[in-house]
Amino acid sequence: MKDFFEKSLMEILDEDDFMTVQDELSNLLQFSVITINPDGTPIGHWNNFTEFCGLIRSSPIGAQNCMECDRQASLRALKCSTPQSYLCHCGLHDCAAPIIVENQYLGSVLGGQVFTHESERSNVDTRSISSKFNISEKKLQNALSKIAIVPEEYLQRCIKFYSFMSSYLAEMSIQKVIQEHLTKETNKNLQLQQIVKKQELKRMQAQMNPHFLFNALNSIARMAMQEDAPKAEQLIYELADYLRYTIKNTSDMPTLEKELNNLFHYIAIQKIRFGDRITFIIDIDSSLLEYKIPSMILQPIVENSIIHGLESLKEGGYVKVIGKKIVETSEFQLLIIDNGIGFPPNILELFNNKIPFKDNYIGLGLINTHIRIKHLFGESYGIIISNNPFVENCVSIKLPCSL
């Protein structure tokens, strides 16, 4: 297993996955964030950077100095085994939290970009910086005047946030690495794949310690409450509940009611993000709630509707989740319906024309869910897709009534 951890963060993680988490939390809590590799190179984009720091990084020399400053600060935090606050090379207060997996240093989460006293602002030599980095001094002075002056307690909140982010990325890394390790130990036999998924889940849960993550979220939520930021507080609690279920759920076949409760947490987060742009409608026959369904099949499909179907719509989007019993048989259907852009042709061909599945197809998540259902319940069960872009696109899941 050790060899698998001797990789860069980007070799392990899906950049889109962790940037989505970073974007949503950073934008909501208004903390600047940048994630870096051990050499100080930024991963993906940064969030909520001050105009001043953006100017510095617009210069090749300035960006290089920032990277080296970030690298050195991360190494100091790593040496102390705890997140640290520090002064950057331009005199701003920043924070660094190292990302450590199996004693392997993969990078850091950083940010801050504030002053704690007005005197620190006047100590910044904009003339020297302008000459050194070839940046307009007037622009530097204007940007410098906008940097916030905050109490020391603010830096402590920043440190907790970056510590939470680094812990979350470490948890994601563990999950990805274990998945890769287990995949290499299996062949393409479907039955063995199901055994591996169970082993993967158990090993993930044995490796992951979510207590710090939940405590950090609760701490940030309490701060949001004290600072009268109810939306931030609510989102953090919803995220904590959502993560608690996805990390701690040990059942391969939970009840529909439990899966719906987790879906409600996910939808609550998306409501804060999209506001009135997307409407969510849940209409589930109450007689279905105690039936068992495969874990985590609803939320990924709803997420697919949002990201690939509705995100580009300016208004009027909706997602419906409908559950109804099939009267003639001991079966029921779960329908996830949206009015987004619809499914690409290759996905429709896969499901409706029964073309053999291949690992490199886009939409692998839907395909895996389809195969998983068939393996559990038989060939008469699975997913059916219907497509009517901007009117009604539907993913229909057929399942047996199982208690």
Side-chain angles (χ1 to χ4, degrees):
M1 180 69 74
K2 183 175 182 292
D3 292 341
F4 286 95
F5 285 101
E6 294 176 348
K7 296 184 177 184
S8 71
L9 197 60
M10 277 296 40
E11 288 178 300
I12 296 174
L13 293 180
D14 183 299
E15 182 178 329
D16 291 339
D17 288 347
F18 87 80
M19 286 307 302
T20 297
V21 176
Q22 177 174 295
D23 290 349
E24 292 190 0
L25 285 177
S26 173
N27 292 336
L28 186 70
L29 300 176
Q30 290 301 298
F31 286 129
S32 61
V33 185
I34 185 170
T35 305
I36 64 167
N37 280 323
D39 62 359
T41 305
I43 300 172
H45 56 266
W46 59 69
N47 296 77
N48 292 317
F49 264 40
T50 63
E51 183 181 340
F52 182 83
C53 293
L55 283 172
I56 300 298
R57 286 181 180 262
S58 70
S59 159
I61 301 175
Q64 191 64 39
N65 281 27
C66 288
M67 286 171 54
E68 179 60 19
C69 179
D70 291 344
R71 187 181 74 84
Q72 292 292 342
S74 298
L75 290 176
R76 288 194 297 271
L78 180 64
K79 186 176 181 180
C80 297
S81 299
T82 183
Q84 300 283 311
S85 62
Y86 63 98
L87 284 178
C88 76
H89 66 104
C90 288
L92 280 66
H93 287 276
D94 275 341
C95 306
I99 304 166
I100 303 170
V101 177
E102 293 289 298
N103 297 317
Q104 180 78 13
Y105 172 53
L106 299 182
S108 290
V109 181
L110 307 99
Q113 304 172 354
V114 294
F115 294 129
T116 57
H117 299 92
E118 182 61 41
S119 60
E120 293 173 337
R121 195 195 312 272
S122 59
N123 288 338
V124 177
D125 188 349
T126 55
R127 178 176 297 180
S128 174
I129 293 173
S130 172
S131 174
K132 184 177 181 180
F133 300 145
N134 193 24
I135 303 171
S136 163
E137 184 177 2
K138 184 177 180 180
K139 288 184 178 179
L140 285 169
Q141 290 174 342
N142 180 59
L144 190 67
S145 67
K146 299 176 184 177
I147 295 176
I149 299 175
V150 302
E152 184 66 29
E153 290 79 7
Y154 179 89
L155 288 178
Q156 296 307 312
R157 290 198 295 271
C158 286
I159 288 174
K160 286 186 177 181
F161 173 68
Y162 301 128
S163 184
F164 159 70
M165 283 297 301
S166 67
S167 176
Y168 182 77
L169 292 178
E171 300 283 7
M172 289 177 67
S173 299
I174 290 172
Q175 178 180 347
K176 294 285 186 179
V177 168
I178 292 174
Q179 181 178 0
E180 180 181 349
H181 177 66
L182 290 173
T183 299
K184 288 188 177 183
E185 292 178 347
T186 65
N187 58 33
K188 293 185 178 181
N189 181 280
L190 186 57
Q191 184 175 3
L192 287 181
Q193 286 181 0
Q194 296 302 317
I195 294 172
V196 166
K197 286 179 181 179
K198 291 180 180 179
Q199 290 174 338
E200 175 188 347
L201 180 61
K202 291 176 181 177
R203 292 179 67 173
M204 279 171 52
Q205 288 163 343
Q207 291 278 352
M208 293 168 66
N209 180 4
H211 297 299
F212 171 79
L213 187 144
F214 298 138
N215 289 338
L217 279 173
N218 286 330
S219 296
I220 298 171
R222 286 195 296 272
M223 290 172 189
M225 179 178 65
Q226 292 168 3
E227 296 176 1
D228 194 23
K231 287 187 177 180
E233 179 191 3
Q234 182 61 31
L235 183 140
I236 293 165
Y237 282 131
E238 296 290 355
L239 178 61
D241 288 338
Y242 172 74
L243 291 174
R244 184 175 287 108
Y245 180 82
T246 55
I247 290 174
K248 290 189 173 182
N249 176 39
T250 58
S251 174
D252 291 336
M253 293 286 292
T255 64
L256 174 58
E257 184 175 25
K258 288 184 178 179
E259 286 290 295
L260 280 174
N261 288 338
N262 191 50
L263 179 64
F264 288 143
H265 295 309
Y266 174 79
I267 288 174
I269 295 170
Q270 297 304 326
K271 282 182 177 179
I272 293 175
R273 178 184 175 191
F274 290 101
D276 295 334
R277 281 177 54 196
I278 299 178
T279 300
F280 296 91
I281 300 167
I282 310 295
D283 183 12
I284 303 290
D285 185 337
S286 60
S287 66
L288 306 179
L289 295 179
E290 293 304 312
Y291 291 135
K292 300 291 184 68
I293 69 170
S295 64
M296 295 300 292
I297 63 170
L298 281 176
Q299 182 272 330
I301 298 176
V302 172
E303 183 175 29
N304 184 76
S305 291
I306 295 170
I307 294 175
H308 299 295
L310 299 171
E311 200 165 43
S312 60
L313 298 185
K314 293 183 178 180
E315 60 182 10
Y318 68 78
V319 179
K320 298 178 182 178
V321 181
I322 299 172
K324 57 185 180 181
K325 196 164 186 178
I326 302 173
V327 179
E328 299 83 4
T329 63
S330 296
E331 298 164 331
F332 67 98
Q333 281 182 309
L334 296 173
L335 309 174
I336 298 89
I337 302 168
D338 68 70
N339 63 333
I341 64 175
F343 295 90
N346 67 306
I347 297 296
L348 296 173
E349 290 175 1
L350 278 173
F351 281 90
N352 298 335
N353 296 330
K354 302 184 185 300
I355 295 176
F357 297 144
K358 296 181 181 179
D359 289 345
N360 60 350
Y361 274 114
I362 298 172
L364 194 57
L366 276 175
I367 294 167
N368 284 341
T369 300
H370 182 62
I371 294 174
R372 185 178 166 205
I373 292 171
K374 284 186 173 297
H375 174 73
L376 288 170
F377 304 118
E379 287 298 317
S380 61
Y381 298 97
I383 289 177
I384 297 174
I385 293 177
S386 61
N387 206 46
N388 193 356
F390 303 110
V391 179
E392 185 172 281
N393 311 291
C394 178
V395 176
S396 174
I397 307 172
K398 182 182 175 184
L399 297 167
C401 297
S402 176
L403 294 172

